[in-house]
Amino acid sequence: MSNLLAFESVARNQSLSRAASELGITKSALTHSIALLEHRLKLRLVQRYSPLVILTPVGHSYFAASQAFARRLRDDHYLKSSTATTQIRVSSSRGLARLWLGPRINDFHAVHPRIELIVSAADRLESVLGDGVDVGLRYGGPTLPNMLSIPMWTDRLIALGNPQLARRAKFMSMGEVISTMPLIEHPSMEWTTWASGRIPADLKARPKIISVDLQFSLECASHGVGLAIVPRRLAQAHLKSGRVELISNHSSTAKPYHAVVSEEQSCREPMQLFLKWIQQQVALDSMTVSD
């Protein structure tokens, strides 16, 4: 069992160093455990260990099985012991992880101290189906086969900038803003689409910066680099601090935010607690989000 858990950690972390740190053993002990596992299985699981751990095709299949086993083992200990811990591996879109989930992690740990959240920020929806991810928090995207989509909220897209730029923009027409002001654009939140119906049909925005990182866009906006379009809920901290201001009352509907989880994962008690906490946080937010 210890050899199997050693393999699962090494394969998941893709690093001997990170796995050794996680398990609290030496790298040589890790490789010895995996060699012993391979000997007993009569299978080659690992092709190489450095610089990254590379699994054989058989190793990839065995990794999926070992992950399921390790998860059930942790959950079983968690349910039967008042001191045992378990883990939930969360993959979140970058903006959601940095601007919404991250500031709330301490609250989750205060309520559920024995559930460890291992969070990675990635915008690839397909990563929910592999890499050991238990649940994905996503902005838009299709519902995948054999996965449950649990609604979180549907946001509004707003345009904002630092006080100096935002106040200049307030005295301009939308066409003047699009054509003369420095703009920051996310590929999913285009200025031309956002301002549709308020600008000439032939006017196209030419953003100064294009970025898929919403936190980067907000920081640029707050430092006067340009005006940015962002989801209102993710911009609340910046708006409340006064670092940024709206350029107008115009907004448009954003894609929905939702949690993506398999039916098997949704039955885990720790996962049910995590999803319930998410919904509670969303409800609390709904009472405080600025209009």
Side-chain angles (χ1 to χ4, degrees):
M1 186 180 296
S2 61
N3 296 335
L4 186 149
L5 294 177
F7 168 74
E8 188 273 339
S9 181
V10 168
R12 170 169 41 81
N13 285 289
Q14 297 185 312
S15 164
L16 278 176
S17 298
R18 288 197 294 268
S21 176
E22 180 178 276
L23 297 173
I25 59 178
T26 65
K27 289 190 287 186
S28 61
L30 267 180
T31 56
H32 177 74
S33 290
I34 295 173
L36 184 58
L37 180 65
E38 290 177 322
H39 175 73
R40 289 176 173 171
L41 293 173
K42 295 181 172 54
L43 295 170
R44 180 77 182 277
L45 302 176
V46 181
Q47 184 172 323
R48 75 179 191 197
Y49 288 97
S50 181
L52 292 177
V53 173
I54 303 297
L55 303 182
T56 65
V58 172
H60 280 287
S61 298
Y62 196 75
F63 175 43
S66 66
Q67 278 201 310
F69 172 79
R71 184 170 57 243
R72 287 194 295 269
L73 185 64
R74 291 191 192 98
D75 283 359
D76 187 60
H77 287 173
Y78 168 82
L79 294 172
K80 292 180 178 178
S81 168
S82 60
T83 58
T85 63
T86 191
Q87 299 174 345
I88 294 178
R89 302 182 184 280
V90 184
S91 173
S92 173
S93 59
R94 292 185 181 95
L96 188 58
R98 297 170 182 174
L99 297 167
W100 191 85
L101 181 61
R104 292 165 172 77
I105 290 291
N106 280 341
D107 179 83
F108 179 82
H109 286 155
V111 179
H112 303 292
R114 295 194 296 119
I115 302 177
E116 301 171 359
L117 295 184
I118 301 175
V119 182
S120 61
D123 288 321
R124 295 182 302 108
L125 185 62
E126 60 268 23
S127 67
V128 178
L129 298 178
D131 303 324
V133 174
D134 298 332
V135 58
L137 306 182
R138 287 289 178 267
Y139 173 71
T143 301
L144 301 175
N146 303 317
M147 304 292 283
L148 301 178
S149 178
I150 301 167
M152 294 169 63
W153 70 82
T154 298
D155 217 330
R156 303 289 297 178
L157 296 180
I158 56 174
L160 46 71
N162 77 339
Q164 183 179 5
L165 284 183
R167 290 167 191 173
R168 280 176 53 194
K170 287 177 182 178
F171 292 97
M172 297 179 179
S173 69
M174 193 60 68
E176 290 173 324
V177 169
I178 296 293
S179 59
T180 65
M181 297 292 282
L183 306 178
I184 302 166
E185 185 171 275
H186 188 287
S188 298
M189 306 167 194
E190 297 179 344
W191 275 93
T192 302
T193 302
W194 182 81
S196 178
R198 299 165 62 88
I199 59 175
D202 60 346
L203 180 59
K204 304 296 181 184
R206 292 179 172 81
K208 179 179 181 180
I209 295 175
I210 297 177
S211 173
V212 298
D213 189 326
L214 287 173
Q215 185 175 31
F216 176 79
S217 297
L218 275 167
E219 288 302 316
C220 285
S222 69
H223 284 89
V225 176
L227 305 176
I229 295 176
V230 296
R232 181 186 294 275
R233 194 177 295 237
L234 299 189
Q236 282 306 292
H238 285 70
L239 286 167
K240 289 181 179 179
S241 70
R243 297 174 63 193
V244 294
E245 295 180 3
L246 298 178
I247 70 166
S248 77
N249 292 325
H250 176 65
S251 67
S252 65
T253 303
K255 297 175 184 178
Y257 287 87
H258 56 128
V260 181
V261 63
S262 69
E263 293 184 11
E264 178 187 2
Q265 286 279 354
S266 70
C267 295
R268 297 174 57 197
E269 182 172 315
M271 181 63 71
Q272 292 172 355
L273 293 173
F274 175 68
L275 294 174
K276 180 179 179 181
W277 175 80
I278 287 283
Q279 292 170 331
Q280 290 171 339
Q281 293 296 309
V282 170
L284 288 173
D285 274 1
S286 298
M287 296 186 288
T288 60
V289 173
S290 302
D291 293 328

